[in-house]
Structures are given as C-alpha cells and as structure tokens.
Amino acid sequence: MPGAPGTSGRVRTAGGRRAVAGSPYGGCAGAGGNAGPVVASEPAAGTSTRAHTARVGAGQGRGLYEGAGQGSGMAGPGTGPGSGTGTGPGTGTGPGTGPGAGGRRSAPRRQVAREPAARTYARALPVVPVRARGLTIEGADGRRYLDCVSGAGTLALGHNHPVVLDAIRAVLDSGAPLHVMDLTTPVEDAFVTELLRTLPPGLADRARVRFCGPAGTAPVDAAVALARAATGRTRVVTVTDAVTVTDAVTDADADADADETFLDDDHGGGPGRERPAGLLLEPVRSEAGVRPVPDGLVRRLRARAADRAVPLIVDETGTGVGRTGAYWAFEHSGVTPDVLVLAKAIGGSLPLAVVVHREDLVEPDRTAGAFRGNQLALAAGAATLAHVREHRLAEHAATLGGRMLTGLRALAAEFTCVGDVRGRGLMAGVELVAPDTAPDVTAHGARPGTAVRPGTAAHLATAVRRECLRRGLIVDVTGPCANVVRLLPPLIVTEEQMSAVLDRLADAVRAVDRDRPGGSVPLRGKRGPR
C-alpha cells in the first residue's frame, strides 16, 4: 500500500515491531526503552477492532520509561509514598517527578485538583500522552491512539516529524538566541522567504509580513486593526457559510443569494452609515461545524469588496498549509486576499502567528506581543512549509481527503443517526442528528461542565467520541450545538492509516446507533449526505 509523499516504505523497528506502511520513522529505540517509533498496529484478520484495542492496551505498557537516562528528566513512577509500579528513573525512595510520578493513573486526578474547569480536551479525552510520532499517540497506560485532532489542525506533519525536530535541534545547537522580538535573524529570514514562496504571485509580489503574538485572537486582532487604520473606518464584517453576520461592532446580515448590501455605506443604519473597514472571511468555518464557504460566494464577495474599496481579510488560521487540498484554502476560489491571517500549522507545532498584507495597507508601528517571532517556531515553521511544498502534501490531502469524505458519506447512508457530512481535504465534519427534542444543552458556549442532555444530537456526538476513544481513535466534537464529530488527520496520513480511521469510526457509530433508543429507525427531519 503506498504511503504519503515524502515518507519511506514499510520498515521494522529496532525492537521488531512493524511500522505502518509509509511511516518516515525507521528506528529510534533507546537502550532498554520502547524500541522504535510509536506506530499504530492493526487487528489481525478475523479479530474485531474492540478485541484488538483491548489487547493492545493491555500488552504494550512496558518499557515506556526504561533506558531514558538517569535523574528526573524522564522520571517514571517512583517507589516512594503514593508511587506506582514502574521501573524507570525515579525508582529510589522518593516519588518520581516525570510523567509517571505518583502512579500512572494519578496525573488526570492531579490536573482536576490543580487546574480550572476550562479543560475541554482533558475532560473529553482522558488520555495522558507520553510519546507521539506521526498520527499516533501513546498514553501513559501503554495504549496507542490514532490522533485525528492534530492539535486542532496545528500538526500539519503530525507529531514529532523528523524535519521539524531537526530544524529545532539545529537552532538549539547553533547557540543562536531563542527570543529576539522582531530583530532580523537568519532563521526569520528563511521563514519569510519560504512563506512568500508558497503564496500566489498577486500577493507575494507586494506583500508585507507582520509577526504578532501567538495567542489565538492576536493575528485576527492585528488584521482588523490594520484594515481600520488603512481605511479610516471601524465597521468590520465577518462572513459565514450562507449568511453574513458581523462582529460586536455592527449588526448586519445578508443571505448568500441576495445582494451583498452589507458592504454599502447605508446598510442597516440608514443614510450616513459607513461602509466596512474590512470583510473577514474564514474559507472553512471549522468551529461552526466544518462548513466550507462556497467558492462562488467567495468570488462574488471578493469582487463586491474590491468595487467598494473594502479590504478582504482571509483567516487561514485553521485551513492553511495544505489542510484543505490546496496550499491555501482561498486558492480553491481563485481569489487573492488583501490581508491573510495565519497561525497554527505555520509554526510546525509551535506557537506562531503572522499577518501577510498588501504593502499599501500601512499601519503605524506598534507593539504586537512580546513573543512574536519565536526562533524555534520560525525554524519549525519554515521546515514545515518547505516539506509540504516539496512533497506536494496539499495534493495528497486532496486525494486522501476525498477518500475520507466518501467513507464518511457511506456512514450517512447506513446509519440514521448520521446526517450531513461535509468538509474539504483533510478537514471533515460528521453531523449527528436525533429525534425532535428541546434545543440541545451543550458544553459549546455553555458553562464549563454543563452536562449534555441524553437523547440530543450533542449526546450522540459525545457518545461517538467516547466509543472512538475506546477503539484507539481520537476525534473532536464541534459546532454550535456540539453535534459534529470533526476529523483533522495530519497531512502525512497514509492510505492504511486512513482505512483504520474509517473502520474505527464506523465501528463507534455502529455501537452508538445500536444502543440508542430507536436505533436504525429513520429519524424525522433527517438530512441526507451532501
């Protein structure tokens, strides 16, 4: 079975375990430790996924900390008070200080006591990851999981890709400063050069690159401030899939099939209402349930905005670097934005955010965060951008993503609890539907810890996520009603791994559909797949 571009063929690790076809990780065994990479093993012929994952979870916990070196750097479970039973470093009289300290099952309990309730992933995915490679995470209990969350899309190349690790090591070994704000360095120059190489000529030829703080809202805030300063206007409009809504500055809407009057001066506020300072577009609205904006609408909005001298801001925070099957998602529609917001994958797994804009959109210099331009993130990001480009991983994402969506739509045809299936490239959402009930009470947008009411679509999605985890598959739940199961596998996913993902998800949906009241009975109002 062919693997992903830029990866090697089937190999055996130093410890004799089989690596998934196409894995670029040959052997990375430590003396006496977990030999070779962390890879996903598949069930033997005639073995159910559930039985296989139970067997894997029971039998692959040894050696996790052994041979990792002495001291407290990778301390295993200690043998002191409150200790576990591990044999790695930290086996003296005191407790260990590493991932296994105090026993392998104690870390989640300590987190509950130490951290606030805003631990979305920790509550939904009770996994204590200790090692990871590519698509695979290994937990402290020795179980292995296929990770289809990828750090909410941050890990374009999966966990600990060799080119990323090599780039980080090169900076560390060079003695270069790790934090220089926005001073010019060879690492920053290499990143900007590679970034511009990936952009279409219409933008790259007249672009300026602005680094900002790596927090999630920082690049969007910087882009909005840029548009307001450049136009002298304040109103900024954001675009959803079929409806246009605004941020807190304004209150306007327009159907996709209607005239986009929200770009005019007097829309929504009578004569004298100013036209927007910018039009903010997210090509695929991931947090809204993985909803791609139609290419035709993007082109029309681009034309209308240009006619009215309204800058088009495209937010590629979650869609860039090959995720949707094109290097940048705006390329599907053939438009060129005036401002481009980038984060997540461009840092190669480390925090980094950038705003790219036309050179004539000039904002007075101002502080944009103390941690802009982190050298390790720039090195990891440049390596990721180059690897995706050189190995044509965007095209690979389009191919494997098409297969993923086909497999997911087959679920919609088979199970009545699966409604719409949508996405683009390696970015997919499976919407769960339920009989008519009161509006869902979900954790999305609700008080942390709010329970999901049984019988709702959100409850079904949560159940599917839980059943996936039992089968060694990590997926996410998103959408305004928290009823969309989201898959974001890394761009290096192989055909064999994709088969395993689809099989485990189908098995999870089958278990949920079988156990729910009225399972396999057509649901009123069910929508078919697109």
Side-chain angles (χ1 to χ4, degrees), residues 242 253-262 297 300-301 304:
D253 59 66
D255 189 82
D257 296 326
D259 213 7
E260 284 79 23
T261 57
F262 59 88
L297 176 58
R300 189 166 70 223
L301 290 172
R304 296 289 177 87

Side-chain angles (χ1 to χ4, degrees), residues 161-231:
H161 194 282
V163 302
V164 173
L165 297 183
D166 288 346
I168 293 173
R169 289 191 190 102
V171 176
L172 292 174
D173 294 342
S174 71
L178 300 183
H179 183 60
V180 294
M181 295 289 281
D182 52 7
L183 296 177
T184 300
T185 67
V187 175
E188 181 192 47
D189 183 65
F191 174 85
V192 173
T193 299
E194 184 58 44
L195 174 60
L196 295 178
R197 186 178 294 161
T198 68
L199 297 174
L203 180 59
D205 293 346
R206 50 176 183 158
R208 292 292 181 269
V209 178
R210 181 182 301 269
F211 292 97
C212 53
T217 59
V220 175
D221 290 344
V224 168
L226 175 69
R228 286 172 173 163
T231 62

Side-chain angles (χ1 to χ4, degrees), residues 107-124 447-449:
R109 296 173 185 172
R110 288 198 300 273
Q111 185 186 33
V112 171
R114 295 171 176 174
E115 299 180 27
R119 295 173 289 106
T120 306
Y121 286 107
R123 291 199 312 273
R447 247 182 340 105

Side-chain angles (χ1 to χ4, degrees), residues 57-68:
Q60 292 188 346
R62 297 198 187 105
L64 190 58
Y65 302 105
E66 296 173 359

Side-chain angles (χ1 to χ4, degrees), residues 68-96:
Q70 300 301 316
S72 61
M74 279 291 288
T79 57
S83 67
T85 59
T87 60
T91 57
T93 58

